[in-house]
């Protein structure tokens, strides 16, 4: 019987992120181009217990365990399958928290994959996807395993796309964040209840090169967060000065990412941004699908 399963949990950025109309539920529809990065946490599940125990390494503040999405994913898996919960969930954290890079959601998707592998695949893809949707908006993208995907609605309608050629990426984090619900609220207030979507062509043949993707790069959260956290705008400007093709806030913030043609340009941007006293991480865009590995004992 397998004792242990591991899965990588990559970070993501949104190459565009449009906040659409507010639904009666109070939630906004989203439209986004998700892109996975090489920067990844590692998630390992081990038979243990009783119950679900969370172990976090890596010095990233992941908040109280009961609110941790990886923990909630394990509990949801056991609830749905009826397999008694007896597992240690170990997260080796590398993705910064409160960054808009989906670290918690990616860990949750990796837990679902790893637990499903450990227990001999009791859930099919559709059942896993349903659990992912219930856990949060970014979880379905990480579960779908594609390095690039268009997503709609709350992120559960996904169209996987062939990955773009790998490019160097720089991440910068200002060290403070604006809570996501606040950012949605400000957007809704500014729209004053009415919202007419811009007619925007979305053609797949405009998503097959970095040149084309750069033309559509924008994030509706960015102006709102930038007003409160000016470092977001400063970091994006510094990245552009160093030659970034895309320099945008990730998700609802507050990290900023740049996509570069060369590692030299990225390193130049890192130097500038360290001068602004922000933390930086070097990465690249991802190409491969993450796979859960099971150790048979
Ligand atoms: O997903 P979560 O429940 O954490 O979202 C917190 C709040 O953010 C929601 O109550 C809602 O006000 C806002 N939100 C939204 N549209 C989304 C996701 C969240 O308006 N797609």
């Amino acid at each position: 019987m397998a004792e242990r399963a591991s899965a990588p949990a990559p970070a993501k950025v949104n190459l565009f992120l449009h906040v659409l109309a507010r639904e009666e539920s109070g939630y906004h529809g989203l439209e986004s181009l998700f892109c996975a990065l090489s920067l990844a946490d590692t998630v390992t599940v081990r038979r243990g217990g009783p119950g679900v125990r969370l172990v976090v390494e890596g010095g990233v503040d992941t908040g109280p365990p009961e609110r941790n999405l990886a923990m909630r994913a394990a509990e949801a898996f056991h609830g749905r399958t009826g397999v008694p919960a007896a597992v240690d969930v170990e997260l080796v954290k590398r993705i910064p928290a409160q960054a808009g890079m989906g670290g918690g959601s990616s860990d949750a998707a990796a837990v679902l994959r790893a637990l499903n592998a450990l227990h001999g695949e009791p859930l099919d893809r559709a059942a896993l996807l349903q659990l992912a949707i219930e856990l949060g908006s970014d979880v379905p993208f990480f579960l779908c395993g594609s390095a690039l995907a268009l997503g709609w609605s709350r992120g559960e309608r996904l169209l996987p796309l062939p990955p773009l050629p790998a490019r160097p990426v720089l991440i910068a984090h200002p060290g403070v964040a604006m809570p996501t619900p606040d950012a949605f609220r400000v957007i809704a207030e500014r729209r004053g209840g009415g919202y007419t979507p811009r007619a925007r062509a979305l053609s797949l043949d405009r998503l097959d090169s970095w040149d084309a993707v750069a033309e559509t790069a924008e994030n509706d959260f960015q102006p709102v967060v930038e007003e409160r956290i000016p470092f977001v705008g400063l970091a994006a400007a510094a990245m552009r000065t160093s030659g970034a093709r895309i320099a945008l806030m990730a998700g609802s913030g507050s990290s900023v990412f740049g996509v570069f043609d060369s590692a030299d340009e990225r390193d130049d941007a890192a130097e500038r941004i360290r001068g602004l006293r922000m933390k930086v991480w070097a990465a690249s865009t991802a190409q491969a699908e993450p796979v859960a590995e099971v150790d048979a004992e």
Side-chain angles (χ1 to χ4, degrees), residues 129-142:
L129 182 62
Q130 186 56 42
L131 274 183
I133 294 163
E134 292 166 20
L135 286 163
S137 293
D138 290 331
V139 187
F141 166 66
F142 292 114

Side-chain angles (χ1 to χ4, degrees), residues 26-30 137 153-154 180-181 184:
Y27 281 81
H28 292 78
L30 301 172
S137 293
S153 190
R154 305 262 198 93
T180 304
F184 275 114

